[in-house]
Amino acid sequence: MEMLQYALRKFITGIPLIIGVTLISFLLMVYFGPDKTYELVGKNATEEQIQEIRHQLGYDKPFVARYLEYLKELATFDFGYSDSTGERVNSILKRTVPISLALITPGFVLGNLLGIALALVAAYYRGHWLDKLIMGGSVVGMSVSFLIVIIAFQILLSSNDGLGWFPVRGWNVYSFWDYLRYITVPTLATVFVALGYNTRFYRAVIVEEMGRDHVRTAKAFGTPPGELLFKHILKNAMIPIITRIMFSIPLVVISGSLLVESYFGIPGVGKVTFDAITTGDQPILKAVVGITAVLFVIVLILNDIFYKLVDPRVSLK
Amino acid sequence: MTQPLLSVKDLVIEFSTQRGIVRAIDGVTFDIMPGETLGLVGESGCGKSVTSLAILGLIPSPPGRIVSGSIKLEGRELVGLSESDYRHIRGKEISMIFQEPMTALNPVFTIATQMTDVLMRHQGMTRKQARNRAIEMLALVGIPSPQKRIDEYPHQMSGGMRQRVMIGMALSCNPKLLLADEPTTALDVTTQAQVLEQMVKLQDELGTSVVLVTHDLGVVAQSCSRAVVMYAGRIAEESAIQPLFQAPRHPYSEGLLKSIPRIREEKLDELPTIPGTVPDLLHLPAGCRFVDRCYKADAACHQQEPPLEWQNNQAVACYHPNPAAGSNA
Amino acid sequence: MNTLAEETSLPKESESLWGKAWYKFRRDRTGMIALGVVIFFMFIALGVWAGLWGSGWSNVGGDMWAGPSPEHWLGTNIIGQDIYSRAIYSTKTAFEVGMVVAILSTILGGILGALSGYFTNSWVDELILWLMGVLDSIPFYLFVAAIAYALQGYPYSMHIAMIATFWTTTARLVRGEVIKLKNFEFVEAARAIGLPQGKIIFRHIMPNTFHILLVQATIVFVGAIKSEVILSFLGLGVVDGVSWGLMIAESTQEVQAGHYSNFLTASTFLFVLVMAFNMFSDSLQDALDPKKVSA
């Protein structure tokens, strides 16, 4: 009950963020965005026909009214119909979001878990050759562009010039086996790119925690190294680690899947967003931006609640 | 003569830094007898904390390294001991209390977790036995309603309380030696006195030997039977408390003592201080380390480092020591 | 006297952060090599800018997909353009994007971060924090697209979008540092003698955050170059001219036909520059971090 109250209070403080995100995106994408009137009217349209279309699109209303309408759409979770296909935005999302989640989740989870594991090894052997090897590898990983990794992995693993083990493009998933075949290359590419950044970040966090006074105390009381690392250090390091993971979720869902999906031709929300960008499909863009903002506020709340669970010093006040 | 509990002999410790290798401890030798409290005194950077960390094998390496010398606990060599063997000594035979009570305890675990972990590890107790023992220890160090407070987190306690918890935790496995690194420095004055008193009382009851690392001669006078005065990584003087305070033989000890403000003496124009600052360990003067700050320094002092010489249970490393107490020289 | 020789070779305690950092950096071999590589790339970019080389990037001077030859060192692309010239010319594009974005976003982040840190708990701070939160919450590619819409195909919309999103990290770091610095004695002293606030912030506090700004600028530079590649591939990036991103974008058809030269060339140029810059940035951080001890 206390938790729920807290979450509600927190959500209210998140409203300025939602307003900010939606206002800026609305201003840039819709208000100053492309005028779709002439795409929709036929040739040699009369003045009335043009006015009619402008009215349908809502262009004749004042800015504030149009923006408020957008907020209403967001609050009721009803974004109308896609400009280009005429399909309901909600049904598009319902179809594509699960695909994106299925595509992105394994790589995201693996990238973080492997990152933490490598960071623990590097931090534990700090200054030794193993640490240097892992950190050197991280810099290399950080220096390769995601795009290059995707293309290279596709050539090596999927194309006929390479091993040809996996499908080159698309998403014909009818069984778990299909699923594994289609996600392998995108997942490997995602993990490869995320690993460098994750390992570096997590190692820095763990090394910082290792230098704390209470770690020295634990050592002075004979705590064995495994317990020291996994109990004393990792529990304290969990706070920044989880924060990073949580805050990357909203962006990974949209931005992370955008490149992968458009390159591999996978019909997820990233591909839909990309197509909406190129065709100027405003209802879809409005939905994606709005949902991301709400997702951010939810993450903010979850993160605070998580803090409370891990760190007894934080109270829900 | 009884065997010393701990004997440190010719200890040399170096740290590699950006600017070169620093010899933080340069040939330090002293013994600790069973049941005694030894003060390890000096300004910051003189090597007193490094010495106590070295006894527990906690010199961070790299950059630190024990170059030579020996540390023996009841005749058993600790230098070069494997990490897994050392773990059975830490917290069990030798315990340590640190300077900063605010950060020395893990913020995300309760006092109960932190104390029972140590007891279960070293005494083979069950969680329940360990908890009872921990409550007992908390009561012993003067924590009110310990059954309740044991389930609190460190941040729910004051600095003085936390330091008491540390002392309780350190003594819970009946260690033979307690290393107390500036245990009261971070506390306010009234709490300092209480915590110190508690520590001395417990030490009497349990018969634990204590090495009290401090820069505060007042603390030494209050609780120690013997003191080692360190300066820039070496021992300047070693002596029982009484003669040290009556007649300090090394000019450095003399200076330290004079710089303690005293109420009963008539008003001074100025509190005497030791001129100059602690030398940079990378650029030590030739000869005696204290030579640049010493009012007695002469040509001989610039030539060679004076050796530590014993005379009636009082040792001093100086070519021109003050006369010993009671001697007519 | 006998320490004089040592003192000339070792930096003194009194030397500035920058003196020490330079001394430390010079002894970091990886950092020096990385800096050399970066300077080499910069030299290439300057040469392109001065018209010394790479000017034939848009000429259609050869057969389609020709192999390496004396005229076309790395072969030609799908319409017969010289891949080597295009890669060289793209170096200039990369530096243009990197420099513009790094410099402007660092200035913006430095100023707004300093204001926010100096006026903590006031509406100025609240406003800047809100703005940072908002900009961090808009999906990056959508933001770039939105700015491109709003600016109606203006060629620098990508740069503007990057500057508008990349300054927030710098601002957060500077804000934290300024909050720490403003309680220092030299700031109190400046306030006590009645200096105007603007002068205190920008003349007395800001210079003490330059080490953060410098490191951040290198990180943003790398980020900008890497983003350019992906944005250009998505059709949101470089509009006129050529860039490694555009080369990779056009190479995606070629690799399917088994022609890898365009892809490999652009990837290698990009990788070597980004890698060198990352390593340079790391060494810079090591040298400038006063807390860091050599391990």
Side-chain angles (χ1 to χ4, degrees):
Chain A
M1 200 56 226
E2 186 202 10
M3 208 71 118
L4 201 71
Q5 255 183 10
Y6 173 77
L8 214 64
R9 224 181 18 241
K10 199 70 200 173
F11 192 81
I12 292 167
T13 60
I15 286 177
L17 183 76
I18 296 181
I19 295 201
V21 172
T22 49
L23 187 65
I24 289 182
S25 329
F26 183 79
L27 201 69
L28 292 175
M29 276 189 321
V30 181
Y31 196 71
F32 291 123
D35 189 326
K36 304 215 75 171
T37 316
Y38 298 97
E39 285 175 35
L40 294 175
V41 296
K43 273 183 187 157
N44 306 322
T46 60
E47 186 61 24
E48 281 108 67
Q49 281 171 314
I50 290 176
Q51 285 310 323
E52 174 62 26
I53 292 286
R54 291 185 68 79
H55 180 71
Q56 269 177 23
L57 290 166
Y59 287 176
D60 52 349
K61 284 185 224 155
F63 173 78
V64 176
R66 292 177 66 191
Y67 176 62
L68 285 178
E69 212 160 86
Y70 175 29
L71 285 186
K72 200 184 115 210
E73 285 172 10
L74 186 60
T76 56
F77 212 81
D78 180 4
F79 298 97
Y81 298 86
S82 157
D83 281 352
S84 29
T85 61
E87 194 183 349
R88 267 185 79 85
V89 174
N90 281 6
S91 79
I92 294 177
L93 292 176
K94 214 176 277 168
R95 176 162 46 84
T96 55
V97 169
I99 294 177
S100 292
L101 288 179
L103 174 70
I104 288 296
T105 310
F108 185 69
V109 172
L110 231 69
N112 280 295
L113 286 183
L114 276 177
I116 292 173
L118 283 175
L120 280 170
V121 174
Y124 188 76
Y125 292 102
R126 191 176 169 198
H128 295 235
W129 66 267
L130 199 55
D131 178 28
K132 287 182 180 145
L133 184 75
I134 291 174
M135 295 326 287
S138 298
V139 178
V140 174
M142 284 166 60
S143 306
V144 190
S145 169
F146 193 19
L147 184 62
I148 294 174
V149 174
I150 291 176
I151 297 175
F153 276 36
Q154 197 195 45
I155 295 173
L156 293 174
L157 297 170
S158 308
S159 77
N160 293 329
D161 284 4
L163 296 169
W165 287 351
F166 301 98
V168 177
R169 286 171 60 80
W171 187 260
N172 294 314
V173 174
Y174 298 102
S175 68
F176 188 65
W177 176 242
D178 289 343
Y179 171 61
L180 288 184
R181 272 167 37 86
Y182 276 100
I183 65 158
T184 303
V185 178
T187 300
L188 286 178
T190 318
V191 170
F192 185 93
V193 163
L195 207 52
Y197 287 97
N198 287 346
T199 306
R200 255 168 87 99
F201 179 85
Y202 297 143
R203 179 186 176 274
V205 168
I206 293 164
V207 164
E208 188 175 339
E209 286 301 328
M210 281 174 124
R212 300 250 184 246
D213 280 358
H214 65 76
V215 173
R216 190 178 60 178
T217 307
K219 239 190 228 167
F221 281 92
T223 311
E227 194 182 322
L228 198 67
L229 199 58
F230 288 105
K231 188 171 175 182
H232 293 259
I233 295 170
L234 202 55
K235 186 161 182 197
N236 280 286
M238 268 346 254
I239 295 170
I241 290 178
I242 296 284
T243 302
R244 178 188 168 88
I245 292 177
M246 298 251 263
F247 278 93
S248 55
I249 289 173
L251 293 180
V252 161
V253 171
I254 307 298
S255 302
S257 61
L258 194 139
L259 187 65
V260 175
E261 287 174 7
S262 48
Y263 190 78
F264 286 100
I266 296 170
V269 71
K271 175 87 164 53
V272 166
T273 310
F274 178 67
D275 292 343
I277 289 173
T278 48
T279 58
D281 196 339
Q282 289 169 353
I284 292 182
L285 294 178
K286 274 153 70 184
V288 168
V289 169
I291 292 169
T292 312
V294 174
L295 216 58
F296 254 106
V297 173
I298 291 172
V299 161
L300 222 65
I301 298 166
L302 289 180
N303 200 51
D304 276 8
I305 291 173
F306 169 80
Y307 262 37
K308 168 73 185 158
L309 294 179
V310 173
D311 191 340
R313 285 165 297 183
V314 180
S315 76
L316 291 185
K317 281 284 166 295
Chain B
M1 194 177 168
T2 50
Q3 220 210 343
L5 174 72
L6 184 95
S7 74
V8 176
K9 208 165 174 340
D10 300 322
L11 191 64
V12 176
I13 297 173
E14 289 179 346
F15 284 84
S16 52
T17 69
Q18 280 297 307
R19 298 157 57 218
I21 289 178
V22 170
R23 189 165 275 210
I25 301 291
D26 191 4
V28 163
T29 300
F30 62 88
D31 287 343
I32 300 156
M33 293 298 160
E36 84 163 334
T37 302
L38 176 76
L40 208 54
V41 196
E43 290 165 274
S44 50
C46 72
K48 54 196 198 305
S49 293
V50 173
T51 307
S52 61
L53 286 173
I55 294 173
L56 261 190
L58 290 178
I59 297 290
S61 166
R65 190 168 74 93
I66 296 183
V67 178
S68 62
S70 100
I71 301 169
K72 281 192 174 126
L73 178 71
E74 295 183 313
R76 182 181 179 198
E77 182 59 68
L78 298 184
V79 173
L81 202 63
S82 78
E83 205 35 38
S84 57
D85 285 340
Y86 233 130
R87 280 209 299 279
H88 297 293
I89 291 174
R90 293 176 189 150
K92 189 179 183 190
E93 298 189 43
I94 306 175
S95 275
M96 186 153 184
I97 330 175
F98 296 95
Q99 179 171 358
E100 277 298 331
M102 307 313 269
T103 53
L105 290 164
N106 195 323
V108 301
F109 295 117
T110 59
I111 304 299
T113 310
Q114 303 190 46
M115 286 185 82
T116 52
D117 273 1
V118 176
L119 284 160
M120 282 156 65
R121 178 163 55 242
H122 287 317
Q123 309 289 66
M125 292 181 175
T126 63
R127 186 162 289 281
K128 196 158 169 50
Q129 285 172 325
R131 189 182 162 87
N132 287 337
R133 169 73 175 156
I135 291 173
E136 203 177 290
M137 284 315 297
L138 290 183
L140 215 56
V141 291
I143 290 191
S145 50
Q147 304 91 318
K148 231 177 77 201
R149 305 218 68 173
I150 192 168
D151 289 314
E152 287 185 358
Y153 287 96
H155 73 276
Q156 292 167 291
M157 298 184 153
S158 67
M161 282 296 158
R162 284 188 225 185
Q163 202 58 306
R164 284 166 195 265
V165 169
M166 277 299 302
I167 295 170
M169 193 163 138
L171 294 175
S172 64
C173 298
N174 291 316
K176 292 170 184 140
L177 177 65
L178 177 66
L179 304 169
D181 187 358
E182 306 263 9
T184 57
T185 309
L187 306 175
D188 66 62
V189 183
T190 30
T191 323
Q192 259 185 27
Q194 289 166 357
V195 169
L196 204 61
E197 205 173 301
Q198 192 84 52
M199 212 175 75
V200 172
K201 202 182 105 212
L202 270 177
Q203 186 230 341
D204 278 349
E205 282 170 26
L206 304 172
T208 316
S209 302
V210 175
V211 174
L212 185 64
V213 176
T214 181
H215 68 278
D216 186 343
L217 280 171
V219 169
V220 173
Q222 202 183 339
S223 44
C224 298
S225 50
R226 215 151 53 85
V228 169
V229 179
M230 289 185 68
Y231 185 78
R234 278 179 85 96
I235 293 178
E237 181 165 2
E238 182 184 333
S239 162
I241 287 298
Q242 201 67 355
L244 179 69
F245 277 76
Q246 266 172 15
R249 300 201 61 202
H250 197 286
Y252 177 62
S253 323
E254 185 190 342
L256 274 184
L257 276 169
K258 273 193 186 150
S259 57
I260 304 176
R262 261 168 255 237
I263 297 171
R264 56 198 143 115
E265 278 173 23
E266 56 264 49
K267 215 166 123 197
L268 297 170
D269 285 337
E270 210 182 326
L271 193 63
T273 53
I274 306 173
T277 53
V278 185
D280 181 349
L281 288 173
L282 268 175
H283 304 123
L284 285 173
C288 177
R289 284 154 201 246
F290 190 55
V291 69
D292 294 338
R293 302 172 73 187
C294 185
Y295 68 97
K296 283 184 169 179
D298 65 9
C301 301
H302 280 284
Q303 292 302 320
Q304 217 181 355
E305 191 111 51
L308 192 68
E309 274 170 10
W310 284 89
Q311 193 190 342
N312 303 330
N313 290 327
Q314 202 167 3
V316 62
C318 181
Y319 292 123
H320 313 288
N322 296 323
S327 79
N328 298 320
Chain C
M1 280 161 282
N2 54 343
T3 59
L4 197 67
E6 288 166 39
E7 267 168 12
T8 45
S9 64
L10 291 166
K12 281 171 290 185
E13 211 73 69
S14 60
E15 258 187 84
S16 71
L17 172 73
W18 297 98
K20 272 188 198 166
W22 174 233
Y23 173 79
K24 218 170 142 181
F25 187 84
R26 260 188 353 227
R27 303 202 320 175
D28 187 338
R29 198 184 305 155
T30 327
M32 287 302 278
I33 293 172
L35 181 62
V37 174
V38 171
I39 289 173
F40 176 68
F41 269 91
M42 196 136 83
F43 176 71
I44 295 178
L46 285 173
V48 173
W49 184 71
L52 296 177
W53 43 67
S55 51
W57 64 274
S58 62
N59 297 346
V60 181
D63 300 330
M64 160 188 178
W65 288 332
S69 64
E71 304 96 85
H72 305 292
W73 290 2
L74 296 168
T76 58
N77 69 1
I78 192 164
I79 57 168
Q81 291 165 322
D82 182 45
I83 290 173
Y84 173 75
S85 304
R86 289 171 76 77
I88 291 290
Y89 187 87
S90 297
T91 311
K92 188 199 90 163
T93 314
F95 265 87
E96 238 168 48
V97 174
M99 293 297 248
V100 168
V101 174
I103 290 171
L104 292 179
S105 77
T106 303
I107 291 173
L108 195 64
I111 292 174
L112 289 178
L115 286 176
S116 161
Y118 190 80
F119 296 110
T120 33
N121 297 323
S122 75
W123 64 268
V124 179
D125 184 34
E126 292 284 334
L127 185 72
I128 294 172
L129 281 176
W130 171 79
L131 191 62
M132 292 195 281
V134 166
L135 290 173
D136 287 346
S137 309
I138 302 178
F140 178 60
Y141 300 125
L142 278 179
F143 190 63
V144 180
I147 287 188
Y149 285 152
L151 297 178
Q152 310 283 352
Y154 177 65
Y156 289 105
S157 44
M158 174 183 72
H159 301 67
I160 292 170
M162 285 193 202
I163 293 163
T165 43
F166 288 176
W167 67 272
T168 56
T169 313
T170 309
R172 281 180 209 281
L173 292 172
V174 170
R175 178 174 183 270
E177 187 72 10
V178 169
I179 289 175
K180 214 168 72 195
L181 287 170
K182 74 174 177 180
N183 294 317
F184 277 25
E185 278 163 27
F186 71 91
V187 179
E188 307 249 309
R191 223 177 280 150
I193 59 170
L195 282 185
Q197 280 180 328
K199 216 167 187 177
I200 296 177
I201 298 171
F202 295 110
R203 292 283 293 279
H204 293 261
I205 298 182
M206 275 282 269
N208 289 293
T209 65
F210 277 171
H211 62 286
I212 297 178
L213 295 179
L214 187 67
V215 170
Q216 262 319 105
T218 62
I219 293 174
V220 170
F221 187 100
V222 171
I225 291 180
K226 287 180 72 179
S227 301
E228 181 277 317
V229 170
I230 291 179
L231 290 171
S232 294
F233 171 77
L234 293 174
L236 296 168
V238 172
V239 180
D240 42 30
V242 65
S243 76
W244 294 325
L246 288 175
M247 288 174 71
I248 293 174
E250 68 188 23
S251 79
T252 52
Q253 297 160 23
E254 300 177 0
V255 295
Q256 278 160 21
H259 298 277
Y260 298 111
S261 178
N262 212 2
F263 174 67
L264 289 178
T265 305
S267 303
T268 308
F269 270 76
L270 174 68
F271 173 72
V272 173
L273 177 60
V274 170
M275 177 91 181
F277 228 103
N278 272 332
M279 279 156 58
F280 165 63
S281 174
D282 276 359
S283 298
L284 200 63
Q285 277 175 67
D286 284 352
L288 283 170
D289 189 346
K291 283 180 300 187
K292 209 142 187 170
V293 283
S294 66

